Amino acid sequence: GFFAVMNLLGMSESAVVATVLFLFHLATLFVVLLCASVHIWSHGCPVLWDNLHWPDQPPTRQAIFYGFSAAMLGVSGFETSANFVEEQRPHVFALTLTNMWLAVSCINTSLSAFAIAIIPLDDLVGAHNADSVAYLADVVGGPWLRNIVAIDALAVLAGSVLTSYVGVIGLFQRMAGDRCLPDFFIERNEWRQTPHYTIITFFVVCASMCVLLNGDITLLSSIYAIAFLLVMALFAACGLWLKIVRPTLPRVINSHWSNFALGAFLVMTAFTAVCVNHPEVLVYFYLYYAATVAIVLVTFSRTLVMKWMLTALQAGGDYVKWPKIERHIQDALAERQSQGVAFFTKSADLSQLNKAILYILGNEEAKWIRVVHCCDGDSKIVPNLMEFVQFLDCMYLKCRIDCVITSSGFDPVTIDMISQALNVPINCMFITCPTSKFRHRLDKLGGVRVILNTEPTEAARQKDKVFLKALSMANLGGDM
């Protein structure tokens, strides 16, 4: 609640504060590891031998299975960097993953080894299960080090909560801009210029989950584990899917498909362990997940839903008369269908243009399509492009299709200029999948969306020539 109010007042992340917290966290863990090393040097490892022969030790395969699942949560956090990937400099995201991997590999492994060598397993899995690092600091350094670890934990958790608000705000704004969530998530209040609907919604979801689970940390952490592991699985699945459906997409790092498959398998293994260990949380997870999917599906189909509502109101006749609601629905439909979209094409390929229009009609609300062609410098206009656009405009009677030609080359400046001139948001502009010869990075285009995979082939061009010849003969016959 505190951070929700702070975000409503305009509080945001600070790079300086984040750096200070990060350095303080590393310094705290380094001191704990140093004190643990001194403790082992002074007292030896008598507890280690007792832990190795612990009578309650589960079977080896079971221990590895659940231990791997718990270890997967040790790398949680780096996935939030994906929310800011478009604002990062080139190669920063890859550097973030590398640094996180190195830190986790060194710190988590060392802390686990020292804890097993110093603290009895009865304490680790019993009374001090939730504060094992603080207890380790108390044993090797005393109360002063335990208090520092507690302060460090509070600061890190506070930073993670603030980061979660920042990440959710960016996610909701992007999804609302792409028409996956209602438009009111984009709105900002006039006082502090903050997206209050997004902040309040996220707080209500988190607070309601705490109430439903009675604040049980174990169950809440299990739901977090399920959500985190599914996000990781989506990273792997989407990476594999892009390699299949967008093979020509320029990539800074090109990874083999087997790496994605292996990552998905390992993540789903950990997901299975969490579900087996805490099956009771699946009910709550699916409850929130179903509500989220329902909101997204309704948003996707809101034009159809509004048409159904309008039909129902009109069918009511004299029994149902709500003229204000009917007028509001009609105005909303007219506004959404009058919104335009733009498709950039560098060639005149009838099949490709037809595929783009079919995609737009099937996935977008707009009924006004602009086919945009950028002539770079003194290059000539692609022949037959205007004829193809006119033919498609006559063929698709439920939408308007225009041809827009500009003398500027295709670049971020031209995209922004056309967006302002046509009053079309950049995320409502579409292109075909670029190749490695593309001069610009996709993340520099402002959010232009890729909807088609292949460039026109020679066979498609030959078919277009045959079609043009038949069309000209038909026109000639009509004139005669």
Side-chain angles (χ1 to χ4, degrees):
F2 171 77
F3 285 99
V5 174
M6 291 295 101
N7 276 272
L8 287 172
L9 294 177
M11 181 180 179
S12 60
E13 283 190 318
S14 170
V16 176
V17 175
T19 303
V20 171
L21 288 178
F22 176 70
L23 294 177
F24 177 69
H25 182 58
L26 289 183
T28 301
L29 295 179
F30 176 76
V31 171
V32 172
L33 294 176
L34 181 62
C35 292
S37 301
V38 173
H39 183 275
I40 290 179
W41 180 267
S42 303
H43 300 83
C45 302
V47 178
L48 176 62
W49 309 115
D50 296 333
N51 287 340
L52 292 177
H53 299 86
W54 190 47
D56 296 330
Q57 178 69 33
T60 303
R61 293 182 180 179
Q62 182 179 348
I64 294 176
F65 180 63
Y66 289 110
F68 171 75
S69 173
M72 282 291 294
L73 300 180
V75 298
S76 64
F78 78 90
E79 76 282 357
T80 57
S81 180
N83 295 328
F84 315 101
V85 66
E86 294 180 352
E87 303 173 7
Q88 293 174 340
R89 294 179 181 178
H91 308 293
V92 170
F93 183 61
L95 188 61
T96 301
L97 301 186
T98 302
N99 292 340
M100 177 64 70
W101 175 77
L102 288 174
V104 168
S105 299
C106 297
I107 295 175
N108 289 13
T109 304
S110 302
L111 282 175
S112 300
F114 280 123
I116 294 175
I118 296 174
I119 303 175
L121 282 178
D122 289 328
D123 294 337
L124 283 177
V125 302
H128 298 284
N129 183 30
D131 61 339
S132 55
V133 178
Y135 183 61
L136 174 64
D138 189 20
V139 172
V140 301
W144 67 273
L145 186 56
R146 179 196 61 200
N147 294 334
I148 292 178
V149 169
I151 294 172
D152 173 62
L154 177 63
V156 171
L157 288 176
S160 65
V161 173
L162 177 60
T163 301
S164 66
Y165 272 99
V166 175
V168 165
I169 289 172
L171 177 65
F172 274 45
Q173 296 241 318
R174 185 55 189 254
M175 291 184 68
D178 290 340
R179 298 182 178 128
C180 299
L181 287 176
D183 294 335
F184 61 78
F185 285 115
I186 304 179
E187 296 180 8
R188 294 177 177 268
N189 63 71
E190 298 179 356
W191 180 41
R192 304 298 298 179
Q193 294 299 313
T194 54
H196 48 285
Y197 289 123
T198 300
I199 297 171
I200 294 173
T201 299
F202 184 61
F203 169 72
V204 169
V205 169
C206 295
S208 63
M209 189 175 295
C210 290
V211 172
L212 286 176
L213 297 177
N214 296 320
D216 192 318
I217 299 298
T218 301
L219 297 181
L220 288 170
S221 62
S222 299
I223 289 184
Y224 170 78
I226 291 175
F228 166 73
L229 292 172
L230 285 180
V231 170
M232 294 296 97
L234 284 176
F235 273 125
C238 292
L240 186 59
W241 180 251
L242 283 176
K243 291 188 74 69
I244 296 174
V245 301
R246 297 286 186 263
T248 62
L249 189 69
R251 295 170 172 85
V252 178
I253 300 175
N254 198 346
S255 182
H256 195 265
W257 66 268
S258 59
N259 294 331
F260 293 101
L262 177 61
F265 171 76
L266 294 176
V267 168
M268 294 313 297
T269 300
F271 175 80
T272 304
V274 174
C275 294
V276 171
N277 202 21
H278 299 284
E280 64 275 14
V281 301
L282 291 175
V283 176
Y284 301 99
F285 173 78
Y286 286 130
L287 177 65
Y288 283 87
Y289 182 74
T292 304
V293 171
I295 293 174
V296 173
L297 291 178
V298 170
T299 306
F300 268 132
S301 308
R302 55 188 165 187
T303 301
L304 183 61
V305 172
M306 285 190 288
K307 289 181 179 179
W308 285 348
M309 293 173 61
L310 190 61
T311 302
L313 289 174
Q314 293 174 350
D318 296 334
Y319 297 98
V320 180
K321 286 187 176 182
W322 290 330
K324 292 184 178 180
I325 296 179
E326 287 188 30
R327 188 163 53 252
H328 177 73
I329 295 176
Q330 290 172 349
D331 293 341
L333 279 172
E335 180 184 358
R336 295 192 179 284
Q337 294 182 352
S338 64
Q339 293 176 350
V341 297
F343 173 68
F344 288 92
T345 180
K346 65 179 181 180
S347 60
D349 180 79
L350 184 60
S351 175
Q352 185 185 53
L353 292 174
N354 187 55
K355 289 179 181 178
I357 293 172
L358 289 175
Y359 172 87
I360 293 170
L361 293 178
N363 297 275
E364 299 295 324
E365 300 171 337
K367 299 299 181 182
W368 191 359
I369 304 171
R370 278 95 158 200
V371 178
V372 183
H373 175 65
C374 298
C375 296
D376 193 1
D378 298 330
S379 60
K380 297 181 179 179
I381 300 175
V382 177
N384 306 321
L385 176 61
M386 298 185 69
E387 289 84 351
F388 286 161
V389 173
Q390 290 175 357
F391 172 75
L392 292 171
D393 186 38
C394 296
M395 188 171 68
Y396 292 100
L397 301 178
K398 293 185 178 181
C399 66
R400 174 181 174 182
I401 306 174
D402 294 336
C403 184
V404 179
I405 298 176
T406 176
S407 58
S408 304
F410 182 77
D411 53 38
V413 177
T414 301
I415 292 173
D416 186 63
M417 177 192 68
I418 293 176
S419 174
Q420 296 180 14
L422 301 180
N423 194 25
V424 175
I426 294 181
N427 63 332
C428 292
M429 294 182 168
F430 313 116
I431 60 173
T432 58
C433 185
T435 63
S436 57
K437 298 179 181 180
F438 192 55
R439 293 179 297 175
H440 307 283
R441 290 172 54 94
L442 283 177
D443 56 346
K444 300 301 181 183
L445 299 183
V448 175
R449 291 154 59 185
V450 177
I451 63 172
L452 295 180
N453 186 34
T454 57
E455 293 291 331
T457 61
E458 187 62 30
R461 293 191 181 96
Q462 293 298 328
K463 291 181 180 179
D464 291 343
K465 291 180 180 180
V466 173
F467 171 79
L468 282 172
K469 185 176 180 180
L471 185 62
S472 61
M473 292 180 64
N475 292 333
L476 182 62
D479 295 337
M480 293 176 61

